[in-house]
Amino acid sequence: VQLQASGGGLVQAGGSLRLSCAASGGTFGTYFMGWFRQAPGKEREFVAAISTTGGNVWYSDSVKGRFTISRDNAKNTVYLQMNSLKPEDTAVYYCAVVRWDGRIWSGRYWGQGTLVTVSS
């Protein structure tokens, strides 16, 4: 599976961005998909996940109520709508095919990452 993320950029605090992740080479509709992020000097962290049909979504506490994950299986694409952005949201964002192991979300296949910078 190949994943190509896009949509990152520079935005002011309070602004919005929408990230996209296009998948190819696999059976997209059978995968749980997710987003992670890694801020400078920090470990990669889980942001959001979505089930195969989009009927179930999960978020980290830090983005709940501000970010929305969605997918379009006809386009093999998963999205992350980010609203009310804060400087602490600054990070490289990665999309991934994910799985839940009963304790944490982990990535099975990863995209290349897209940089989001939020200025104060």
Side-chain angles (χ1 to χ4, degrees):
V1 178
Q2 290 78 49
L3 302 173
Q4 181 72 39
S6 61
L10 174 64
V11 63
Q12 289 188 330
S16 299
L17 278 177
R18 188 172 87 151
L19 306 183
S20 300
C21 176
S24 60
T27 49
F28 181 77
T30 68
Y31 300 138
F32 277 49
M33 297 297 298
W35 290 92
F36 290 73
R37 67 186 182 186
Q38 187 166 19
K42 296 188 177 181
E43 293 186 352
R44 190 174 299 186
E45 65 173 357
F46 168 76
V47 174
I50 188 167
S51 60
T52 55
T53 62
N56 290 287
V57 295
W58 298 266
Y59 298 97
S60 68
D61 288 343
S62 61
V63 307
K64 198 173 296 182
R66 300 187 298 122
F67 290 11
T68 302
I69 188 171
S70 62
R71 67 190 295 161
D72 185 337
N73 286 349
K75 296 182 178 179
N76 288 355
T77 302
V78 61
Y79 305 97
L80 186 69
Q81 177 67 43
M82 306 185 294
N83 297 330
S84 302
L85 282 161
K86 304 175 181 180
E88 51 263 44
D89 294 317
T90 295
V92 177
Y93 283 72
Y94 299 89
C95 63
V97 175
V98 300
R99 62 184 170 193
W100 172 253
D101 72 1
R103 187 174 60 87
I104 62 170
W105 288 99
S106 60
R108 295 173 57 198
Y109 305 103
W110 295 91
Q112 86 290 0
T114 185
L115 176 63
V116 172
T117 303
V118 184
S119 63
S120 57

